[in-house]
Amino acid sequence: MRLLLTLIELLAFRPFRAILQLYIHFGPARFQKIRLGSELSEATLNEISRFRKTQYEGSQPYLIPDSPEAVTEENHLDLRSYHGIARDRSGNIIAVARFTPYPFETTRLLGAELTTPFREHLEISRVVTSKRRSGIGRRLLIQGGCFAISTKRYRGFVAVCKSGNLAIFEKFGLGTHGRHLIPGRPASPYHFISADFFRITVTTFAYTGRKFAHACSVILSPFL
Ligand SMILES: CC(C)(COP(=O)(O)OP(=O)(O)OC[C@H]1O[C@@H](n2cnc3c(N)ncnc32)[C@H](O)[C@@H]1OP(=O)(O)O)[C@@H](O)C(=O)NCCC(=O)NCCS
C-alpha cells in the first residue's frame, strides 16, 4: 500500500501540483510566496489588516477586531499563521488568506474538544478577495494546499464557513462535521469543515480536470 501511495505521489500528485503552480501564476494577479506572519514586515501585516477591514466592514464587521484585546489576539494569530497574498499589477493587495497551525481561532470559538482531533491540520480563515468570482479565491486556496503539502508537516485543512460558502470549499474536498452557533457572529450557524490532503488532492484533481475538459470543449466546439 505504501509503495502504491508513493507511486501515486511521484507519478500523479507531484506533476499535478507542478501544473497547479503554473495555473496559480497564470493570470493578472501576482501571488506572493506564502510566509509565516513573523517573517513578514510590519508594513505588510498592517496592509493585510487594512485590506481585511475594507472588505469586511460592509458585510462581515464581526471579523474586524473591535477592542484592544481583540486586536492583540488577531495580531498574535497573524504572527503565528501562514499568509497567502495576491496583488494586482500595481502592487495593491486584492486577496488574502490565512493558514493557522493548531490551536486554531476555531479552538477559541468552538472549543478544544471539537478541534483537538485536527491538531495536525491547518485552519483556513480570513479568505477574502476584492475581485469576486474571478478565480483568485480558487488560486489562493490551491496555493495554500500546495504549500501545506510541500511542508510535509500538516495532514489537511479545517475551517468554519457559512452555509453560503460551503460549496466553494466542497469543490476542494472539504466536508462538514456539522453546524455550530458562533457567539458574536450573526450569520451563524457555521459549518465546521475538514479534509486530509489525499482527499483534497484527489477532489481538486477531478475539479480541475472537469474545468480543463470544459475549457477544451469551448475552444474546440467551433471546429467540431
Ligand atoms: C469566498 C471568496 C474568497 C471566493 O473567491 P472568488 O475569487 O470569488 O472565487 P472564485 O472565482 O475563485 O470561485 C471558485 C469557485 O467557487 C464558486 N464560488 C465563488 N463564490 C461563491 C459563492 N459565494 N457561493 C458559491 N460558489 C461560489 C465559483 O463559481 C467557482 O466555482 P467554479 O470553479 O466551479 O466555477 C470570495 O467570494 C470572497 O472574498 N467572499 C467574501 C469573504 C468570504 O465570505 N470569505 C469566505 C470565508 S469562509
Side-chain angles (χ1 to χ4, degrees):
M1 183 61 178
R2 204 171 168 71
L3 176 61
L4 178 62
L5 288 177
T6 307
L7 284 175
I8 291 173
E9 169 63 21
L10 290 175
L11 301 176
F13 289 175
R14 208 165 284 180
F16 175 52
R17 286 200 295 277
I19 294 166
L20 287 178
Q21 290 296 344
L22 290 177
Y23 167 70
I24 290 164
H25 298 290
F26 176 79
R30 297 275 164 276
F31 289 78
Q32 285 189 211
K33 193 168 176 292
I34 292 185
R35 288 188 193 291
L36 209 51
S38 55
E39 296 167 359
L40 294 173
S41 67
E42 194 173 340
T44 301
L45 289 168
N46 291 340
E47 236 188 316
I48 292 172
S49 302
R50 278 199 305 277
F51 177 75
R52 289 178 189 154
K53 188 168 182 300
T54 59
Q55 296 306 309
Y56 290 139
E57 60 199 347
S59 55
Q60 296 161 288
Y62 46 86
L63 294 180
I64 301 171
D66 56 1
S67 67
E69 299 73 31
V71 169
T72 306
E73 207 161 76
E74 183 86 340
N75 291 347
H76 177 61
L77 210 54
D78 280 342
L79 283 174
R80 64 180 191 83
S81 299
Y82 302 97
H83 295 269
I85 303 171
R87 295 178 184 271
D88 62 18
R89 287 183 189 287
S90 317
N92 306 310
I93 290 185
I94 53 175
V96 294
R98 183 171 68 187
F99 307 97
T100 307
Y102 188 85
F104 313 129
E105 180 186 41
T106 308
T107 309
R108 178 173 59 75
L109 297 171
L110 296 176
E113 198 186 332
L114 181 73
T115 56
T116 303
F118 302 93
R119 59 187 170 282
E120 293 172 4
H121 284 50
L122 276 177
E123 174 191 56
I124 304 173
S125 66
R126 306 295 183 282
V127 187
V128 61
T129 175
S130 55
K131 308 235 181 273
R132 306 287 163 87
R133 303 274 183 153
S134 49
I136 292 178
R138 179 188 312 126
R139 284 176 171 80
L140 213 45
L141 291 173
I142 290 173
Q143 187 195 23
C146 291
F147 166 78
I149 292 168
S150 70
T151 66
K152 295 189 171 48
R153 292 172 56 191
Y154 305 103
R155 294 188 45 227
F157 280 141
V158 300
V160 287
C161 77
K162 292 175 285 186
S163 302
N165 285 324
L166 187 57
I168 303 170
F169 293 103
E170 285 175 336
K171 291 174 190 293
F172 299 98
L174 286 98
T176 183
H177 295 273
R179 300 189 305 170
H180 302 266
L181 289 176
I182 296 182
R185 297 212 184 169
S188 297
Y190 279 68
H191 288 271
F192 177 62
I193 60 177
S194 84
D196 63 30
F197 286 127
F198 185 83
R199 178 181 167 78
I200 289 173
T201 304
V202 170
T203 312
T204 308
F205 195 75
Y207 168 41
T208 43
R210 282 195 303 278
K211 294 203 71 80
F212 182 68
H214 174 70
C216 291
S217 67
V218 170
I219 294 163
L220 296 173
S221 58
F223 310 103
L224 300 175

